[in-house]
Amino acid sequence: MGAMSVRTPSSKPSEAPHRAGFACFVGRPNAGKSTLTNALVGQKVAITANQPQTTRHTVRGIVHRPDAQLILVDTPGLHKPRTLLGQRLNDIVRTTWAEVDVIGFCLPANEKLGPGDRFIAKELASIKKTPKIAIVTKTDLVDSKTLAEQLIAIDQLGKELGFEWAEIVPVSAVADQQVGLLADLLIPLLPEGPALYPEGDLTDEPEQVMIAELIREAALEGVRDELPHSIAVVVEEMLPREDRPADKPLLDIHAFVYIERPSQKGIIIGPKGARLKQVGIKSRQQIEALLGTPVFLDLHVKVAKDWQRDPRQLRKLGF
C-alpha cells in the first residue's frame, strides 16, 4: 500500500550520502500539481491556474535539504493532441518522464478515478525504469472512508496496468499535511551526488519566461472560453531605466501578446482599451512582487496568424 504512516525525518548520521535529482508531478489539470510544488518549495513558483496547458515551460522548483536536493520539473499536461502544438507538448512530456529520477502522479482525493487518470497511468506504465509515486492530493476535502477507498482504487490501478507504485502518499498542500513526508519519500529515490544548483535558487526559470507567463495568465483571466490557448506572450526586452537614482530604480519591460486572428484583438484590448489596461495593471503588480522592483510595463497586442500550427512561429514563441 505504500507509506501511510506519518514519519518524522530521522536524524541521519552525517556520513549518509548526499542525493540530488529530478522529480516531476503529473496528473490531470487541477489535480493540485502547482499547489504541491509551491508547498514543497515553500514559495510560489509554478503559476497556478485552473486551466490545462498554462505551465508550458519547464518550471523547476528546488527543495534544498542538508542531505539532498530535489529538483521539481513541471511538464506540460499530457492530453490527446489536436494540433501541432499539442503533439509537441506531448513529445516534451514523454521525453521528460523518461529523463527524471521519479514521477509523482497527483490524484485528487475528492474525485473518483476517471478516463483522464487512466490515460496518464497507461502512459506511465510504458515508462518502465522510472519509479512512480502516487500522490493523493486535497485530502483535507474528504473523510477518512473516502480517502481509504481512493487509496485502494489507486493501488488496484497500478496492479491492473502491471506496475507497482513505489509509494502511495496522501497529502494536503493547503493544510500542509504530509508534505514533508512526501519529500522524505521522494529523496531516497534520487541518485547519490552533489547539489546541482546553488543554495539560493528556488527556480531556474529565466525571469523573462516567468514574466511572460504572468502576463499570459492576466490576459486570459475572464476570457478563457473565448480564447482558450490562442495567446502567447513574448517579453521582447527588459532594461533598467537610465538616469534613475540608485535607490529608485525602474525596470522597463516591453512585451507582446500574440493572438491568432484579428477578431481576437478586440477581446483582449476591450472597449476603449480598458481590458488591456487592466491586464497591464494586474500583471505589473505581480511582476513587481516577483522581482521586488518597480516596473514600467509596455504591452502590445499583435496577430501571429495561426501560430499554434506553424513550426516557425512556435519556435519564435519559445516552443
Side-chain angles (χ1 to χ4, degrees), residues 48-245:
T48 48
N50 53 0
Q51 180 75 1
Q53 289 178 308
T54 41
T55 323
R56 287 211 170 147
H57 298 274
T58 310
V59 178
R60 297 181 177 85
I62 303 174
V63 181
H64 295 279
R65 290 205 169 179
D67 60 339
Q69 188 177 64
L70 172 66
I71 300 140
L72 302 170
V73 185
D74 218 24
T75 50
L78 186 82
H79 55 95
K80 302 194 166 134
R82 286 190 306 278
T83 60
L84 178 65
L85 175 64
Q87 190 58 57
R88 193 164 291 188
L89 287 173
N90 280 358
D91 294 343
I92 296 170
V93 173
R94 290 197 183 84
T95 322
T96 307
W97 289 6
E99 287 168 359
V100 295
D101 301 299
V102 54
I103 300 171
F105 184 14
C106 296
L107 298 133
N110 62 334
E111 293 174 32
K112 287 235 190 310
L113 299 186
D117 298 315
R118 284 176 189 284
F119 176 69
I120 296 172
K122 260 206 191 76
E123 291 287 332
L124 284 179
S126 67
I127 296 169
K128 300 275 186 273
K129 283 203 191 66
T130 318
K132 300 167 251 310
I133 285 187
I135 305 166
V136 187
T137 57
K138 311 189 184 188
T139 54
D140 54 300
L141 302 178
V142 298
D143 57 23
S144 52
K145 181 173 172 292
T146 312
L147 178 57
E149 285 166 2
Q150 186 73 322
L151 295 168
I152 292 164
I154 291 167
D155 193 38
Q156 281 305 115
L157 180 63
K159 290 201 172 84
E160 270 169 48
L161 296 169
F163 69 89
E164 183 77 38
W165 299 107
E167 305 276 357
I168 299 177
V169 198
V171 299
S172 165
V174 174
D176 196 25
Q177 282 162 347
Q178 308 237 100
V179 174
L181 170 67
L182 174 62
D184 291 345
L185 297 172
L186 289 166
I187 285 166
L189 299 168
L190 306 178
E192 292 178 17
L196 301 165
Y197 287 87
E199 176 67 59
D201 290 2
L202 285 169
T203 168
D204 77 340
E205 180 78 276
E207 283 170 345
Q208 269 163 284
V209 175
M210 288 182 88
I211 289 166
E213 199 60 63
L214 288 170
I215 296 169
R216 187 167 177 270
E217 277 295 295
L220 277 173
E221 197 84 7
V223 295
R224 288 186 190 283
D225 303 339
E226 299 159 87
L227 306 171
H229 341 278
S230 27
I231 299 183
V233 175
V234 174
V235 174
E236 289 286 319
E237 56 178 14
M238 290 169 53
L239 298 166
R241 176 85 54 100
E242 288 179 10
D243 314 325
R244 297 283 291 198

